[in-house]
Amino acid sequence: MVLEAYHRLHPLPAGPLTLYHKAGARGYGDGRWELLARSLRAHGVRALDLNPGIGLASAVLVKAGLELDLLETSRAALRCLEAAFGSQPGVQVRTALPWEAPVEHYDQAVLVLPSERGQDFTHLSLLAAARALRPGGQLWLSGDKNKGFERQFGAAKALLGCGEVLKREGPLRVAVLEKQNPSPHLPDPWTNFSIEARGRSQAFYCLSGVFSAGQLDRATALLLETLGDISGAEVLDLGGGYGAIGLTLAAEGARATLLEDDLASVLSARRSADAAQISATIIHSDVDEGLPKDRSFDIVLSNPPFHVGGSVILDVAHAFITVAHARLRSGGRFYLVANPFLKYEPLLQTLFGGVRTLATEGYKVLSCTKDRSAR
């Protein structure tokens, strides 16, 4: 995918509103958001969308005249939301985690269950919804029975008091619940742990929902084992997560920049860097949109995502590879680790003119060098 095409916002007419979708943003073409938008009925005056994606359900509430807060963690989705709702009166688009919503402030909350982010993050999102509602407020819930909807709906009823499933389409479900119980307690969403990599131990902090929180995933471990000395190099970690790659290398003397779409991961990496007194630049960014256009690096590394909203989508990973070529200085090196079944080699060959396989141990580590004659 050409990088310009990845970053392009595509208009999606929605009655008097225009929504936007783009590669890497959740919600468009996902039945959970679509069924919720078709089923949703406004309630009260003030509402909260805890997982808006591109804003399909949010648009229903805005058109009904409700005051609305949208809390979104994905920078790609935020770009769509800001374009759609940034000038709408009574609507606030916020970069925030679900549990940062004010307590007992809303008449209605909507939540597409973020099952792909794990049980802890999903439960914290339900707690956030229950806490944010006023007594008598409604929670509208959407999910997939093949991804734990029945269990999560049961947990929501235990938190709120009562509820019923309103819509069923194949495995998809929409339910509405009413808050009858007191606001629940919110547990500490942070965990801390240490990883062993490159001959040293390093401490990290992580929020719930972060990829591989609490451990060093095997793919990242293999990439770190394969790298040579990088001290003094300017390094870009694309999709930096909680910092396993970028902060490990920064602790060895690399001048590291981490780009990450997910807010929880960004906050985790920043807290870990501060706690360890590691100097690194950590940016909440949709691929490279958070970087100055002329910024370049000696080394680019990535363990790229290939899922968006639980579906296998390679647009983001392909954008990462394109960014790596664009952001490398002449003679710079790109390292990528991936599942063996993901065929990134043709794109790497096209951009770089060659690709080497450095390791194959459950995952593959690929490396490319930018031609010194290339700009």
Side-chain angles (χ1 to χ4, degrees):
M1 168 175 278
V2 177
L3 200 56
E4 181 182 351
Y6 172 83
H7 283 304
R8 186 177 300 129
L9 301 184
H10 303 275
L12 186 67
L17 294 172
T18 298
L19 301 179
Y20 294 87
H21 68 94
K22 70 173 298 295
R26 298 187 303 270
Y28 181 67
D30 190 309
R32 295 174 296 170
W33 276 271
E34 293 173 350
L35 182 59
L36 177 60
R38 293 198 305 270
S39 309
L40 186 58
R41 299 293 180 266
H43 174 75
V45 174
R46 182 172 291 168
L48 170 69
D49 195 335
L50 287 162
N51 186 12
I54 66 165
L56 293 176
S58 309
V60 175
L61 300 176
V62 171
K63 286 185 279 188
L66 272 66
E67 298 176 19
L68 179 65
D69 289 351
L70 294 81
L71 307 191
E72 179 55 62
T73 62
S74 163
R75 180 59 195 153
L78 279 160
R79 293 177 63 198
C80 297
L81 295 172
E82 289 164 355
F85 300 106
S87 61
Q88 287 290 326
V91 180
Q92 289 192 19
V93 177
R94 294 175 50 198
T95 308
L97 297 160
W99 50 90
E100 294 180 309
V103 178
E104 298 188 1
H105 190 69
Y106 302 94
D107 304 304
Q108 185 173 21
V110 296
L111 174 65
V112 174
L113 289 163
S115 306
E116 62 276 1
R117 303 200 62 172
Q119 293 185 26
D120 289 346
F121 189 90
T122 301
H123 189 64
L124 283 168
S125 298
L126 289 172
L127 285 170
R131 288 167 57 82
L133 286 169
R134 295 168 176 154
Q138 290 185 356
L139 170 61
W140 287 70
L141 205 60
S142 180
D144 186 328
K145 76 178 185 67
N146 295 327
K147 297 179 181 179
F149 175 85
E150 299 299 339
R151 180 182 68 255
Q152 294 151 1
F153 176 54
K157 283 200 293 185
L159 289 171
L160 290 160
C162 70
E164 63 175 328
V165 177
L166 295 182
K167 294 285 186 179
R168 294 176 172 87
E169 285 190 7
L172 303 179
R173 303 287 186 268
V174 170
V176 63
L177 302 100
E178 180 178 313
K179 182 172 180 177
Q180 299 175 338
N181 296 337
S183 295
H185 168 72
L186 183 71
D188 186 356
W190 288 95
T191 184
N192 62 290
F193 59 99
S194 295
I195 65 171
E196 300 287 335
R198 296 172 66 83
R200 61 189 299 273
S201 177
Q202 189 164 322
F204 287 89
Y205 290 86
C206 262
L207 286 165
S208 294
V210 173
F211 170 71
S212 196
Q215 62 183 341
L216 180 64
D217 68 285
R218 288 174 54 211
T220 297
L222 182 61
L223 175 59
L224 289 170
E225 291 167 8
T226 305
L227 294 176
D229 180 27
I230 46 70
S231 57
E234 287 196 79
V235 172
L236 175 63
D237 182 0
L238 278 170
Y242 68 77
I245 297 173
L247 296 187
T248 296
L249 299 181
E252 294 181 15
R255 289 172 288 168
T257 297
L258 288 71
L259 302 182
E260 173 56 53
D261 175 78
D262 174 53
L263 177 64
S265 299
V266 168
L267 297 177
S268 299
R270 287 175 179 168
R271 181 172 177 182
S272 296
D274 289 345
Q277 297 185 316
I278 294 172
S279 177
T281 301
I282 302 163
I283 303 172
H284 192 210
S285 178
D286 179 13
V287 189
D288 68 334
E289 58 91 23
L291 280 179
K293 290 185 178 180
D294 59 351
R295 187 77 169 89
S296 60
F297 300 85
D298 302 313
I299 296 173
V300 178
L301 309 107
S302 187
N303 179 1
F306 60 95
H307 291 98
V308 175
S311 300
V312 175
I313 304 290
L314 295 180
D315 288 353
V316 179
H318 287 176
F320 276 24
I321 293 171
T322 308
V323 164
H325 183 262
R327 295 288 182 170
L328 277 171
R329 296 169 182 146
S330 295
R333 290 166 288 154
F334 176 43
Y335 297 89
L336 176 148
V337 62
N339 288 328
F341 66 84
L342 296 171
K343 305 303 181 185
Y344 295 135
E345 288 87 345
L347 179 57
L348 292 167
Q349 181 72 37
T350 298
L351 289 174
F352 289 92
V355 55
R356 296 167 56 209
T357 301
L358 302 183
T360 52
E361 297 177 21
Y363 297 86
K364 59 185 177 185
V365 178
L366 306 176
S367 177
C368 304
T369 302
K370 187 168 182 178
D371 193 307
R372 292 188 181 276
S373 64
R375 294 185 176 182

